[in-house]
Amino acid sequence: MDRLGSFSSDPSDKPPCRGCSSYLMEPYIKCAECGPPPFFLCLQCFTRGFEYKKHQSDHTYEIMTSDFPVLDPSWTAQEEMALLEAVMDCGFGNWQDVANQMCTKTKEECEKHYMKHFINNPLFASTLLNLKQAEEAKTADTAIPFLSAEDPPRPTFDSLLSRDMAGYMPARADFIEEFDNYAEWDLRDIDFVEDDSDILHALKMAVVDIYHSRLKERQRRKKIIRDHGLINLRKFQLEFELRREIKRLQEYRTAGITNFCSARTYDHLKKTREEERLKRTMLSEVLQYIQDSSACQQWLRRQADIDSGLSPSVSMASNSGRRSAPPLNLTGLPGTEKLNEKEKELCQMVRLVPGAYLEYKSALLNECNKQGGLRLAQARALIKIDVNKTRKIYDFLIREGYITKA
């Protein structure tokens, strides 16, 4: 039994031949009695009478081909699909590029056929409208698609809104950094010339085909994001709030709390415990670095005045008359997450922000690697800060094994 069927013109979109595992080229054979999955054979394996498991050479079959007219007697179904694919790849209006990709039609033929049958065709217009309405009805309750607007938001580069939207630019319907962002680099040095050998020409065409497949994947991912509303700031803010509330309720359940009155008491006690823990932590950090007992006592009296609501007493001073600065608070400072505990203690003690410490550390490490060792005088020449701070940083890096003495 012979029947006609159409598939994509891209061989990689079809299953391989079950006989020789090669990509199927039209026309090819589909067994009408085997499957699912469908059983496909190329013409060579079919003529050899290839048999495999339940498949027999006398089974009825279908001839799969798109070499037949659909809308125009001079255009085959395969050329129709190639035209649509070329317009999608090259963009509407770029008819010369479309014709170059198709290879079988001229620029004028491509433009005339596309405008006549896909733009000005009333049958297609009504069909596409029905399909669009059906798609909107299907996704109305499940997704929040991006819709065109007269004045879409235009967040500036690296702004908070731009980061929240993952770099999406609504006015252009593009991302600042696309999926497979450097796919075009593979084409920058390709140039088609007349004296190319057949093999070289085929290799260049293969690179172009690979590039087209990467563009298709980029568009596929973008379509998923657009159709399912995956960049919707308000939607994900709500999701974040719900997750946080669920986590809080789970914490209540773990603590054995079953009503909101007990939950309020639990929150109050938790806040009190957290404040006491912070006070103990701050006190232990200060006592670790303040060696002057009188300055320590003044600091304690000053904190007691603050806790009791009174104005703080005279600022603490050591016996030498110099003010003892408290350790630097690293909370929220950039680069803190890159430090280990000992490096955090060093930055607190010498009152050095993490970013500057990391820069000085990198400079000293590079110089030590170049020279095979480092002297304190060399470190002071590299780091133009207080010599006492430089000495502490230098001694710390020596002690921790980051650098060696010259």
Side-chain angles (χ1 to χ4, degrees), residues 87 90-98 107 111 114-115:
V87 171
C90 303
F92 177 79
N94 300 319
W95 301 114
Q96 186 59 58
D97 294 336
V98 171
K107 167 187 173 182
E111 180 179 6
Y114 191 87
M115 296 300 296

Side-chain angles (χ1 to χ4, degrees), residues 89-139:
D89 291 342
C90 303
F92 177 79
N94 300 319
W95 301 114
Q96 186 59 58
D97 294 336
V98 171
N100 293 340
Q101 181 170 325
M102 286 197 60
C103 300
T104 60
K105 299 293 182 181
T106 66
K107 167 187 173 182
E108 292 75 15
E109 289 174 331
C110 292
E111 180 179 6
K112 180 180 178 181
H113 184 82
Y114 191 87
M115 296 300 296
K116 177 181 179 181
H117 295 286
F118 295 102
I119 299 298
N120 301 322
N121 189 334
L123 174 62
F124 275 7
S126 60
T127 302
L128 292 175
L129 179 61
N130 293 337
L131 289 175
K132 181 179 179 181
Q133 292 174 345
E135 183 67 20
E136 290 177 351
K138 183 177 68 173
T139 60

Side-chain angles (χ1 to χ4, degrees), residues 67 81 102 111 213 236 337 344 381 392:
D67 188 19
M81 291 187 291
M102 286 197 60
E111 180 179 6
S213 66
F236 286 102
E337 70 281 357
K344 291 179 182 178
K392 291 178 180 178

Side-chain angles (χ1 to χ4, degrees), residues 21-61:
S21 299
S22 62
Y23 281 129
L24 292 168
M25 302 295 293
E26 294 184 357
Y28 56 94
I29 305 300
K30 175 186 177 183
C31 180
E33 300 181 22
C34 297
F39 192 94
F40 294 114
L41 288 175
C42 64
L43 292 182
Q44 290 79 5
C45 294
F46 176 72
T47 55
R48 291 203 316 266
F50 177 80
E51 296 182 345
Y52 180 74
K53 293 185 178 179
K54 295 182 179 180
H55 175 71
Q56 301 297 320
S57 58
D58 59 351
H59 281 183
T60 55
Y61 59 89

